[in-house]
Amino acid sequence: MKRLTIAVLLVAVFGFTAWAMDKPMDGTMGKTMTPSMEQPMGNDMGAGMGNEMGKTMDGSMDKVSGMMPGAESMAVWKYITEVSPYRKWGQFPDHMGMQKGKSPHGALHEVYVNKAGLMKGTPKPVGAMVVKDNFNSREKLKFITVMYKVAGYNPSAGDWYWVEYSAEGKVLVEGPGSCAGCHSARAANDYIMVSDH
C-alpha cells in the first residue's frame, strides 16, 4: 500500500509538471522560476548518449533549437558566456592549451572551438566558432576574440564574422575589418590561423 501511495504521488507530481511546462507561464509562475531555469539549455545535453538522438543533441543542438546567434556582438557574447560557455568546448588537436601568441593578439593565448569548428577539414560548416583568450606575458586575460561562420555574412572572407571583446565583454572591434586582412593569409585554410585540423 505504501509503495502504491508513493507511485501515485510521483505520477501526480510528474503529470502536473508536464502539464505546467506545456502551458504559457503567468506572472506568478514566472516569478518563482530561478534565472537559470529561464536560460536555454546548453549544448552538452546529449553528451554521452550513444544513440542518434544523443548525437544530434550533442553535435548540433544549436541549429536544431535555433539558439545560434546572428552576426551581432551582444548576441554572440551572450551565446559564448551563457548559452554555451566556450571554455567547456574542445580545442584543436594540433593547438591545445596555452600557446605563445603574436601581435595583434596577446603574448599568450588559449583557443576553444565548438563541435562544428572541430569537424576535420576545411571549409568549416556554418555555425563553427573559434574563441581565443588573449593573455599578456603574465597570463592576465586582456581580451577575447571570436570568429564565427555565419551563412552569407561575408562570402569574400569565408562567411566569417569576427569580433573582439575586452575581458569584461565590451566590444572592441567588430566585423571583417582588420581581422580579415590578416586572416586572408590563410584563406586556403578557411582563414584559420592556428590550426590545420
Side-chain angles (χ1 to χ4, degrees):
M1 183 70 176
K2 190 174 186 178
R3 286 184 183 169
L4 180 62
T5 304
I6 291 171
V8 169
L9 270 172
L10 287 173
V11 168
V13 169
F14 286 117
F16 174 77
T17 303
W19 172 83
M21 298 288 282
D22 197 36
K23 298 290 179 194
M25 281 194 262
D26 63 19
T28 309
M29 186 169 191
K31 289 175 187 170
T32 61
M33 290 179 71
T34 63
S36 63
M37 289 176 68
E38 295 170 334
Q39 298 298 323
M41 287 188 246
N43 287 359
D44 58 350
M45 189 171 148
M49 292 183 185
N51 59 27
E52 275 309 310
M53 183 179 171
K55 290 177 188 169
T56 300
M57 290 167 70
D58 192 33
S60 59
M61 176 72 154
D62 306 324
K63 289 182 187 177
V64 171
S65 64
M67 289 193 304
M68 291 302 287
E72 194 278 316
S73 59
M74 289 297 93
V76 170
W77 179 256
K78 180 174 177 153
Y79 180 81
I80 67 170
T81 59
E82 296 177 27
V83 177
S84 180
Y86 71 94
R87 289 188 184 120
K88 293 182 179 180
W89 297 352
Q91 295 185 319
F92 288 124
D94 58 348
H95 198 84
M96 298 184 86
M98 188 78 74
Q99 301 282 328
K100 286 188 178 181
K102 54 186 173 182
S103 182
H105 296 280
L108 299 164
H109 66 253
E110 189 158 9
V111 176
Y112 302 89
V113 190
N114 70 356
K115 287 195 180 271
L118 285 173
M119 291 178 68
K120 186 140 177 69
T122 56
K124 298 299 184 192
V126 168
M129 276 194 186
V130 180
V131 180
K132 182 186 282 187
D133 278 343
N134 300 275
F135 301 91
N136 66 17
S137 58
R138 294 181 305 281
E139 297 187 19
K140 179 177 179 181
L141 182 64
K142 299 305 281 179
F143 52 96
I144 299 159
T145 50
V146 178
M147 56 187 295
Y148 168 35
K149 186 159 283 206
V150 179
Y153 173 73
N154 182 15
S156 65
D159 278 340
W160 288 105
Y161 163 76
W162 282 278
V163 60
E164 179 178 283
Y165 304 95
S166 70
E168 297 75 33
K170 180 182 176 188
V171 177
L172 304 174
V173 177
E174 181 178 13
S178 60
C179 299
C182 289
H183 282 257
S184 64
R186 295 273 289 177
N189 193 49
D190 200 20
Y191 299 83
I192 296 170
M193 304 291 279
V194 300
S195 173
D196 293 315
H197 178 71

